[in-house]
């Protein structure tokens, strides 16, 4: 079973509107959580990285929140633009004494329409 | 500075053949990791190299192998290609261990492999 679950699988929003993407994880012990944006046919680009002591981190119109107690994170997109159309991937890393490994969510496909 | 560079960008191979993909990390980065991305499975971790040593490996068969050179450049090889190996193969680099907090992982644009 995937240790990182994202919802919704896809969503369509009007340009200028806000939206929120969800990420639930079971990775334990937890080290850090990242959000990536991947345009179609391109490599993922880092948006934010957060550790358990951080609740909120922003990158322009993107704001990520983290609740390490409930093992939930969200990515909020404010005033969406057409260029926000992409897949958003949640990535979680566990805390380990050895070489860590990233766990990937399946992604949320966002389509922004004019 | 230049980003992660992957070559070739597109290639078509026949079932049973082997393929080698190349990755040049960002200058100064010592960690290189490889991922397979397919529509059905999403992003899956293949392996990570640091200072020419494989540090971690995903759940892929032995047909998938890689190596890292002293200049941090990396190659991955897939032998005896199967139709299911058709995917986008992404390389990423970071200063240190990729999964550690504080190490941003930078992805390349990927190599699109089609097996026919």
């Amino acid at each position: 079973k995937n240790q990182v679950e994202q919802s919704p699988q896809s969503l369509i929003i009007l340009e200028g509107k806000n939206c929120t993407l969800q990420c639930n994880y079971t990775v334990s012990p937890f080290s850090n959580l990242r959000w990536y944006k991947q345009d179609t046919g391109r490599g993922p680009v880092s948006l934010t990285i957060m550790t358990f002591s951080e609740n909120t981190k922003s990158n322009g119109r993107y704001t990520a929140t983290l609740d390490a107690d409930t093992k939930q994170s969200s990515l909020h997109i404010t005033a969406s633009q057409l260029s926000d159309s992409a897949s958003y991937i949640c990535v979680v890393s566990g805390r380990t004494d050895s070489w860590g490994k990233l766990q990937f969510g399946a992604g949320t496909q966002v389509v922004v329409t004019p | 500075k230049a980003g992660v560079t992957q070559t070739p960008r597109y290639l078509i191979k026949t079932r049973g053949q082997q393929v080698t993909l190349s990755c040049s990390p960002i200058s100064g980065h010592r960690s290189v990791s490889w991922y397979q991305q397919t529509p059905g499975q999403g992003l899956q971790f293949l392996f990570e190299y640091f200072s020419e040593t494989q540090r971690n490996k995903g759940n892929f068969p032995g047909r998938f192998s890689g190596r890292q050179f002293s200049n941090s450049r990396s190659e991955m090889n897939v032998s005896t290609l199967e139709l299911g190996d058709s995917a986008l193969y992404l390389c990423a680099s970071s200063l240190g261990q990729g999964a550690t907090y504080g190490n941003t992982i930078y992805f390349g644009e990927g190599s699109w492999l089609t097996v026919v």
Side-chain angles (χ1 to χ4, degrees), chain A residues 43-104:
Chain A
V45 173
S46 177
L47 293 176
T48 62
I49 176 172
M50 304 170 69
T51 189
F52 57 86
S53 60
E54 298 173 295
N55 299 120
T56 305
K57 186 164 279 189
S58 292
N59 179 354
R61 294 179 296 101
Y62 301 101
T63 299
T65 65
L66 173 66
D67 185 335
D69 292 330
T70 62
K71 294 183 169 52
Q72 295 180 324
S73 175
S74 65
L75 180 69
H76 186 76
I77 305 175
T78 303
S80 61
Q81 300 176 0
L82 297 178
S83 59
D84 293 330
S85 294
S87 178
Y88 292 84
I89 303 170
C90 176
V91 187
V92 180
S93 175
R95 186 159 32 91
T96 173
D97 293 332
S98 61
W99 208 265
K101 206 185 287 189
L102 300 176
Q103 304 283 350
F104 293 85

Side-chain angles (χ1 to χ4, degrees), chain B residues 34-108:
Chain B
W34 288 88
Y35 305 85
Q36 182 195 66
Q37 188 173 33
T38 59
Q41 298 292 326
L43 265 165
Q44 295 187 86
F45 170 75
L46 279 159
F47 26 66
E48 181 176 7
Y49 286 87
F50 185 87
S51 294
E52 301 178 66
T53 302
Q54 187 181 91
R55 303 291 178 158
N56 224 332
K57 192 176 189 303
N59 297 321
F60 279 83
R63 300 185 296 107
F64 292 81
S65 63
R67 59 178 176 168
Q68 185 181 33
F69 303 96
S70 57
N71 61 0
S72 292
R73 193 177 68 84
S74 177
E75 289 180 349
M76 70 160 281
N77 183 276
V78 187
S79 63
T80 319
L81 284 166
E82 301 177 358
L83 296 179
D85 296 333
S86 295
L88 175 65
Y89 289 89
L90 290 161
C91 170
S93 76
S94 59
L95 277 171
Q97 179 190 165
T100 304
Y101 177 73
N103 271 302
T104 299
I105 298 172
Y106 297 88
F107 285 85

